[in-house]
Amino acid sequence: MSDTVKPGYLVTAGASGALFGAGLYVSQMVDPYKVLNFLNVGGIADGSWDPSLALVMASALVVMFIGLRIGDRQKRPIFNGKFHKPDLTEIDKPLVLGAVFFGIGWGMSGICPGPGISLLAFMPENLLIFLAATFAGSFAGSYILKGMKPKPATA
Amino acid sequence: MDAFSPVSALAGGALIGLASALLWIGNGRIAGISGIFGQLLPPANTVIWRIVFLVMMVGGAGAAALLLPGLGPEGAGGAALSLKGSPLWIAIAGLFVGVGTKIGNGCTSGHGVCGLARLSPRSFVAVGVFMATAALTVAITGVA
């Protein structure tokens, strides 16, 4: 049986997902306008800028950094044969172009994938349009990627 | 208008970091939501854990809202949450998010949290570019 369908693996995935969703709610990052108020750096001048998102990221980073150090001491993850380190290292055109596209969509909506999916718990109007479009975009992106690179990167 | 909320930001961020650390130490996986979501598409050989993660993420957000209703916009749980713009605007934004995270191989979680914590040069570039592009987009199109 593959590791990825064993109980320990699935319970860990579920617990991680639940903590992630709770964190997105507690940090209020599920609110698109809170995110937009962070991205609106013009608000620094008039006092309407909301730096909360930077603190969310900083806090998450510190905890994850410690988690990675703990992982470094293990030969392998608890419920899997190996650590799946991202295998891409090159700063290439797809990375930069992808970040530009994502930045446009994020700036238009204030929604990135984590909050977008977590919003299913609250079902604001038009959410399913956003998620369907994201899914379609991801599907299209895999073909664009194949056209840009000799081998598809699906890490 | 939303106001700066340092305590909930730090607490929520710590939960997100804990979630990412748990998935790494337990399963050896990067908690990148765009990757977990995008690879629900074939050819994905390990779809079950991705579904479990995402369903529990929605459940975790909902449960947190029940426990801490005061954190929602206007203090009314998730009831007042709304998206910006017309359905067409939202669809175009979603398309950009989907295409961009796929070809850029990550979003705010994968690059922004996991990648930066790994000190990945690719993630530093990605985060710098998508933050700058998003800020520029908001400067042009506005917040409301």
Side-chain angles (χ1 to χ4, degrees), chain B residues 21 25 84:
Chain B
I25 295 167
K84 179 195 166 175

Side-chain angles (χ1 to χ4, degrees), chain A residues 25 28 30-31 119 121-122, chain B residues 2 61-82:
Chain A
Y25 175 81
Q28 303 176 52
V30 289
D31 180 359
L119 278 170
F122 312 107
Chain B
D2 301 292
L66 290 176
L67 291 169
L68 300 160
L71 281 177
E74 297 155 38
L81 284 167
S82 62

Side-chain angles (χ1 to χ4, degrees), chain A residues 9 14 16-18 25-26 28 31 33-34 52 57 59-61 65 74 78-80 84 90 98-99 103 108 112 133-135, chain B residues 2-3 5 8 10 13-14 19 24-28 41 53 56-57 68 72 84 89 91 94 98 100 108 112-113 117 122 130 134:
Chain A
Y9 191 96
S16 172
Y25 175 81
V26 169
Q28 303 176 52
D31 180 359
Y33 287 98
K34 191 151 179 83
S52 302
M57 272 185 76
S59 177
L61 272 170
F65 191 81
Q74 303 168 258
I78 300 166
F79 300 111
N80 200 355
H84 294 262
E90 203 186 332
M108 285 176 73
C112 53
T134 303
F135 203 66
Chain B
D2 301 292
S5 51
S8 61
L10 290 170
W24 183 250
I25 295 167
N27 294 0
L41 292 167
F53 181 97
M56 290 301 287
M57 184 170 75
L68 300 160
K84 179 195 166 175
W89 180 268
T108 342
V113 175
R122 271 174 61 88
F130 69 60

Side-chain angles (χ1 to χ4, degrees), chain B residues 9-108:
Chain B
L10 290 170
L15 287 173
I16 292 167
L18 202 59
S20 306
L22 179 63
L23 198 66
W24 183 250
I25 295 167
N27 294 0
R29 282 284 172 184
I30 293 290
I33 310 302
S34 61
I36 294 173
F37 181 60
Q39 288 173 49
L40 289 174
L41 292 167
N45 50 359
T46 53
V47 165
I48 296 172
W49 79 265
R50 298 172 195 279
I51 293 171
V52 169
F53 181 97
L54 295 175
V55 168
M56 290 301 287
M57 184 170 75
V58 175
L66 290 176
L67 291 169
L68 300 160
L71 281 177
E74 297 155 38
L81 284 167
S82 62
L83 308 194
K84 179 195 166 175
S86 67
L88 180 63
W89 180 268
I90 289 166
I92 294 169
L95 268 177
F96 270 111
V97 169
V99 172
T101 53
K102 184 68 188 184
I103 67 177
N105 214 41
C107 60
T108 342

Side-chain angles (χ1 to χ4, degrees), chain A:
Chain A
M1 188 163 74
S2 164
D3 279 348
T4 56
V5 292
K6 285 180 182 163
Y9 191 96
L10 294 177
V11 167
T12 305
S16 172
L19 285 170
F20 208 106
L24 287 171
Y25 175 81
V26 169
S27 63
Q28 303 176 52
M29 293 296 109
V30 289
D31 180 359
Y33 287 98
K34 191 151 179 83
V35 174
L36 290 168
N37 278 319
F38 168 78
L39 294 171
N40 181 32
V41 288
I44 294 171
D46 63 23
S48 67
W49 187 53
D50 182 349
S52 302
L53 187 146
L55 287 192
V56 177
M57 272 185 76
S59 177
L61 272 170
V62 169
V63 176
M64 181 57 181
F65 191 81
I66 296 166
L68 287 165
R69 296 291 83 77
I70 294 169
D72 284 345
R73 294 193 199 168
Q74 303 168 258
K75 283 202 193 80
R76 60 183 195 88
I78 300 166
F79 300 111
N80 200 355
K82 64 162 191 148
F83 288 104
H84 294 262
K85 289 201 171 76
D87 50 1
L88 303 172
T89 52
E90 203 186 332
I91 293 161
D92 51 10
K93 203 166 75 177
L95 178 78
V96 176
L97 194 65
V100 168
F101 281 2
F102 169 48
I104 292 170
W106 193 33
M108 285 176 73
S109 62
I111 310 171
C112 53
I117 296 163
S118 299
L119 278 170
L120 283 169
F122 312 107
M123 271 299 172
E125 202 181 353
N126 298 328
L127 176 67
L128 294 181
I129 293 173
F130 181 87
L131 291 178
T134 303
F135 203 66
S138 183
F139 191 67
S142 60
Y143 287 95
I144 295 169
L145 203 54
K146 274 178 195 161
M148 291 177 83
K149 297 177 98 180
K151 67 178 177 71
T154 53

